Amino acid sequence: MDETFEGASMRRTFHGETSSTPTHTRTADTRSTHTRTGTMHSESESGSEYVPRFDDYGDEHSVVPLRRMRSSQEALIPNDESDMDVITGWLYNGPLQRAKYEDFSTIDWIYESTKARHYKNDLRVQTHVGIKGRLQLLADSSKSWIVLLAVGVTMGLIATCISVSSQWLIDVKGGYCRTGFYLNRRFCCWNTDTVCVDWVTWSELFRVHWHWLDWLLQFIVFVFDAILFAGISTFLVTEYAPYAAGQGIAEIKTIMSGFMMRQFLGVRTLGIKCVGVVLSVASGLSLGKEGTMVHVACCCGNIYSRVFKKIKHNEVKRRELLSAASAAGISVAFGAPIAGVLFSLEQVSYYFPAKTMWRSLFCATAAAVTLKLLNPFRNGKLVSFQVTYDRTWDLFELWFFVAIGVICGIIGMLQNRLTLYLMEYRQHSVLKNFARGEVLVVALATACISYMSVYLRADMVTLVSNLFTECTGQETDGLCSRGDRTGNVFSLLVTSVLRVLMTSVACGLAVPAGMFTPSMATGASIGRAFGMVVQTLYENHPTWRLFGACRPDVPCITPGVYALVGAASMLASTTRMTVTVVVIMFELTDALIYVLPIMLAVTVSKSVADAFGKDGYFESIIHLNGYPFLSMDQEYVLHGTSDELMVRVSEMTVVEANGETLESVLKLLRESSYSGFPVVKSKSSLVLVGYISRSDMAMVAERARVSSVYSNASPCCFSRGNIELPMAHAQMLDFRPWVDATPITISHGTDVNLVAEMFRELGVRYVLVVHHGALLGIITKKDIVRTVRLHSRNQARSEMPYVPVWLSSMVRQTHEPVQHRLPVFSSESRGL
């Protein structure tokens, strides 16, 4: 956020006191201050411990012996030299202390960006010291690259383990390898071109020769394993890591915007996510593992960033690294490092500076190279459904690609609506109390239905790979069979319908899983069926004018390409991604010639889906769960002014700058649930002095309460005012280091669209409404989010006349907020 907060940082350099002093002048003052501080340290070693005292503008006035006169902050913190530096530092370098951000709160982007900028300035100052300072700057700069390299290598290892282990569990449902139980069917039959004698089915193991009994035994083992794997997966999630459920991309988008969700990117969540996704995919649920790789990569980025203190306590830097780490997830999921960078830019990142793109590419490349070296499929492919085409396409096929885009756009929209409707129904019904039982029932039903169809019984990665593969002249069975082409088309269409239904049901279950692969499987089935129909028309009517560009000696229609276009269209309609989807398909096929058909179909599909609502799957999940997220992609046209939106001062609790005691502060914290308090000169004038968050106030007050230095009658100071610091050293409790003396303020009557832009672009948590310096009210991010969502619902209702009645009802229900619980919003908001 460096560029965004350039102006704000100048205002807050000296704890928010606005000054006309140029930035470079203050930097020089800071440099000289560091020199003087180092001198004091050397003097303290000889027995004379002194530190300079500065006024509000950083000018030195006197030298105060700390041992004979300790301030309130010094009394709250043990007498340690490093702690003394922190305490005295705020006088010349702004607020250096903040309480730890609470769970489900938003970070202060301006404060974090300013703190990061000061840290960089300190490092630049050290480069003038000599070779030691330059080496320290180099070591500091390399920490981010070390973290990204570790994330990339780790993701390559994790992706290999997940792919190999999930495929082995999938194959175990049908049998085992005689030469090695740990081998899946593909590796067991590696050098076999005909019948594989080393692979033993369960009916062969028990010497069952009757056909119907053979089928029944395989069916029982298939269903039993599906229930077992799904049961273990949901038990691990619900018992040890609830945050591991689902795909996690919606939550990551919210975290990137500044929201705090502790343990969502923790070690336990990472472990359960990796194990659980293997089990849930192996169970046969209509879920994939590719989408979860983004969550896994961000977990790795968060864990590795804790190693370095500089990154651990810098929320802005951590989010830059998480943004880069998310690219590694897509890189190993689809073998597409470039698409990973674009995914981070298009979907995940809330703020994406140019340097983050370079870091994303580095992390994605490291992950792809590691996966390539490990070669999990022993064929040189990064993912198992990579294909190549040696045929081109003709101009007349563009009409068919457009038709596929329209069909997949509608079906993808319906799948999203049905998924969200079922998720909301779970939250309202008794199903929310039986998460494990629901998973077992769905796994049972899915296994029973899937076993009846060869397209549903096969794992989705194998299915997508087969649908993408073009037929050669020697292949005459399966999808390449001419005699059974009508039956294959019908089976693929039925598979598509069932896949949509099963995916909609499975996406809200308490298991780790994603919806990328199921969506691609649905679109590929539709596209392959469409291509087979076009191929049949050409073979039966080659003289039609439509097929005039086809040459008789070369195959004209390639159904595999139609499957590729369908998969891209379906993925675009569900996620609303465009460029990322096109690049994913390009990197999967290595065929630049098919970029234009894919781009056309993706554009049409997204446009059709947008006609029913701008939100994709991830944005809809954010709205359903009530996360405080303001999208950077959408434009809001709101009506009203700040006066209509703000919480008036009569409904708030304010703090007097110099009229509070420790007892009144503790009482205020006990009796109110507000997350922050405006500081005013007096309750009669309401002249705004600053703002202090509840967490900071509680931290200081609690330390003072347990200290022997203070009593309940100790005065509290929240403003610099006219109080001299030496007069209050004995018992005054000084809150000034934690008070934001320059909060973002707006005048009354400000247009609400401008207010929304401030929250979205600046990342602020609150703005205070004032009139000639007097406080009128406060607007929080919660208020803006509520207003935006109300506008979205009203806009959706206004578009309902163009939608069928049965679909209109579903769309309205999925746009309504969850009423039985309050959404978890961030910090500075009033109680509801």
Side-chain angles (χ1 to χ4, degrees), residues 660-674:
E660 304 289 344
T661 63
L662 178 58
E663 182 180 13
S664 64
V665 169
L666 293 173
K667 181 180 179 181
L668 177 66
L669 293 172
R670 287 194 305 266
E671 296 180 353
S672 66
S673 59
Y674 301 106

Side-chain angles (χ1 to χ4, degrees), residues 125 139 212 275 358 390 410 450 619 742 757:
V125 170
W212 66 271
V275 176
W358 163 227
D390 55 3
I410 296 175
S450 300
E619 291 77 15
T742 56
E757 283 298 310

Side-chain angles (χ1 to χ4, degrees), residues 753-766:
N753 292 284
L754 178 59
V755 179
E757 283 298 310
M758 293 176 63
F759 277 93
R760 185 166 63 173
E761 299 293 341
L762 296 180
V764 297
R765 299 188 290 180
Y766 59 89

Side-chain angles (χ1 to χ4, degrees), residues 505-797:
V505 173
C507 276
L509 298 178
V511 293
M515 45 78 65
F516 284 166
T517 309
S519 298
M520 292 177 61
T522 302
S525 300
I526 296 173
R528 184 81 183 206
F530 197 97
M532 293 168 70
V533 171
V534 176
Q535 186 180 35
T536 302
L537 288 176
Y538 168 70
E539 292 175 354
N540 294 336
H541 307 280
T543 58
W544 278 7
R545 186 176 180 180
L546 178 65
F547 304 114
C550 296
R551 291 182 295 177
D553 57 334
V554 177
C556 186
I557 306 298
T558 306
V561 175
Y562 287 74
L564 182 70
V565 172
S569 302
M570 190 68 182
L571 189 58
S573 64
T574 53
T575 63
R576 301 298 199 274
M577 294 188 299
T578 52
V579 181
T580 302
V581 174
V582 173
V583 176
I584 285 176
M585 297 303 167
F586 164 66
E587 293 190 82
L588 284 176
T589 59
D590 293 330
L592 186 61
I593 194 173
Y594 292 109
V595 170
L596 180 58
I598 295 174
M599 289 176 60
L600 179 62
V602 165
T603 303
V604 172
S605 177
K606 184 182 184 300
S607 301
V608 171
D610 284 344
F612 298 90
K614 300 295 184 180
D615 291 335
Y617 176 76
F618 308 125
E619 291 77 15
S620 300
I621 296 296
I622 290 174
H623 293 168
L624 183 65
N625 293 333
Y627 297 138
F629 179 81
L630 293 174
S631 176
M632 299 289 285
D633 302 327
Q634 297 185 9
E635 295 184 0
Y636 307 116
V637 183
L638 308 176
H639 304 284
T641 63
S642 58
D643 298 343
E644 304 170 10
L645 191 61
M646 70 180 182
V647 181
R648 300 189 180 278
V649 68
S650 58
E651 306 174 28
M652 301 163 50
T653 300
V654 298
V655 176
E656 284 190 300
N658 299 313
E660 304 289 344
T661 63
L662 178 58
E663 182 180 13
S664 64
V665 169
L666 293 173
K667 181 180 179 181
L668 177 66
L669 293 172
R670 287 194 305 266
E671 296 180 353
S672 66
S673 59
Y674 301 106
S675 297
F677 306 94
V679 180
V680 295
K681 188 173 182 180
S682 66
K683 294 184 179 180
S684 58
S685 65
L686 293 178
V687 175
L688 182 65
V689 174
Y691 187 92
I692 184 170
S693 67
R694 180 188 185 89
S695 57
D696 292 333
M697 181 187 288
M699 177 190 67
V700 179
E702 181 61 24
R703 289 180 179 178
R705 187 184 65 83
V706 299
S707 173
S708 60
V709 179
Y710 303 98
S711 64
N712 289 337
S714 297
C716 299
C717 180
F718 292 87
S719 173
R720 297 172 187 182
N722 297 321
I723 293 183
E724 292 293 335
L725 191 60
M727 297 171 54
H729 272 184
Q731 293 184 355
M732 186 191 74
L733 181 57
D734 198 348
F735 284 89
R736 290 179 294 178
W738 294 271
V739 174
D740 183 0
T742 56
I744 302 296
T745 60
I746 59 175
S747 299
H748 74 103
T750 304
D751 185 73
V752 68
N753 292 284
L754 178 59
V755 179
E757 283 298 310
M758 293 176 63
F759 277 93
R760 185 166 63 173
E761 299 293 341
L762 296 180
V764 297
R765 299 188 290 180
Y766 59 89
V767 294
L768 298 173
V769 184
V770 298
H771 180 61
H772 297 308
L775 178 66
L776 297 181
I778 185 173
I779 300 175
T780 67
K781 190 174 184 180
K782 171 183 177 180
D783 301 318
I784 291 294
V785 171
R786 183 191 295 112
T787 303
V788 169
R789 289 178 182 171
L790 180 62
H791 173 265
S792 300
R793 291 200 301 271
N794 294 336
Q795 185 178 12
R797 290 193 179 101

